[in-house]
């Protein structure tokens, strides 16, 4: 009889730990994906101006490239978030769960920031290249 009570308590403890782990994983995943979506939308909205300039005013081309960049951004970052879920030790309690989420989310935010600056660097590079490839305006009456 005493053995079944101990087994019952152990399985309740394991069930509670598994439930807490699932909650932590869901929170981490939802917050990470929400951050990814927010950063992608910000890049899409504000990067458009740089791309239009880089493509000499061609809004259609700039929008197409902008959309492709956002798709790539989602694939890379959400893939990273999901793969990163498995790394590290599983949290065994509430405090460890909070630390787990904070550590993982902090790392995800650093990766998102790095991706953001990588995109900004590329936007700026495209914009500068477009400026150097522009032909100077023709002056009326000048000999060419």
């Amino acid at each position: 009889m005493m053995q079944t009570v101990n087994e019952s308590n152990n399985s309740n403890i394991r069930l509670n730990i598994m439930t807490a782990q699932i909650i932590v994983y869901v929170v981490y995943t939802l917050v990470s994906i929400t951050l990814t979506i927010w950063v992608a939308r910000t890049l899409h909205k504000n990067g458009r101006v740089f791309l239009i300039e880089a493509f000499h005013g061609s809004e259609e081309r700039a929008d197409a490239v902008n959309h492709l960049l956002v798709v790539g951004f989602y694939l890379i970052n959400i893939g990273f978030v999901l793969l990163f879920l498995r790394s590290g030790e599983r949290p065994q309690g509430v405090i460890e769960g909070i630390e787990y989420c904070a550590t993982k989310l902090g790392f995800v935010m650093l990766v998102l920031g790095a991706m953001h600056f990588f995109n900004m660097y590329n936007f700026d590079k495209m914009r500068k290249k477009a400026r150097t490839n522009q032909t100077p305006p023709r002056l009326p009456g000048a000999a060419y």
Side-chain angles (χ1 to χ4, degrees):
M1 176 95 164
M2 188 63 121
Q3 189 175 11
T4 57
V5 170
N6 284 339
E7 287 174 7
S8 176
N9 285 341
N10 286 341
S11 77
N12 283 340
I13 290 170
R14 276 184 271 155
L15 182 62
N16 288 340
I17 289 173
M18 282 180 29
T19 303
Q21 289 171 344
I22 290 169
I23 290 169
V24 167
Y25 292 157
V26 168
V27 167
Y28 160 74
T29 304
L30 289 176
V31 171
S32 295
I33 290 174
T34 300
L35 283 170
T36 299
I37 291 168
W38 176 69
V39 172
R41 285 184 177 171
T42 301
L43 285 171
H44 185 264
K45 178 182 166 194
N46 297 310
R48 185 176 189 272
V49 174
F50 292 98
L51 290 171
I52 289 172
E53 185 177 345
F55 290 113
H56 305 289
S58 173
E59 290 186 28
E60 187 176 326
R61 183 178 292 162
D63 289 340
V65 169
N66 203 7
H67 181 73
L68 292 172
L69 286 169
V70 168
V71 169
F73 185 84
Y74 280 135
L75 291 172
I76 289 170
N77 286 296
I78 292 174
F80 169 76
V81 163
L82 296 175
L83 286 173
F84 193 55
L85 178 68
R86 187 172 177 163
S87 71
E89 290 190 31
R90 293 181 178 155
Q92 300 296 316
V94 175
I95 293 173
E96 288 176 353
I98 293 168
E99 291 171 348
Y100 177 90
C101 269
T103 301
K104 296 271 187 184
L105 290 172
F107 201 76
V108 167
M109 290 173 83
L110 289 173
V111 169
L112 286 170
M115 289 291 293
H116 169 72
F117 282 111
F118 175 76
N119 279 341
M120 291 306 299
Y121 171 77
N122 283 322
F123 285 163
D124 189 54
K125 204 163 100 175
M126 286 191 291
R127 189 174 58 114
K128 285 178 182 175
K129 184 177 179 183
R131 282 184 177 171
T132 59
N133 289 339
Q134 286 180 341
T135 56
R138 300 184 117 196
L139 298 174
Y144 290 96

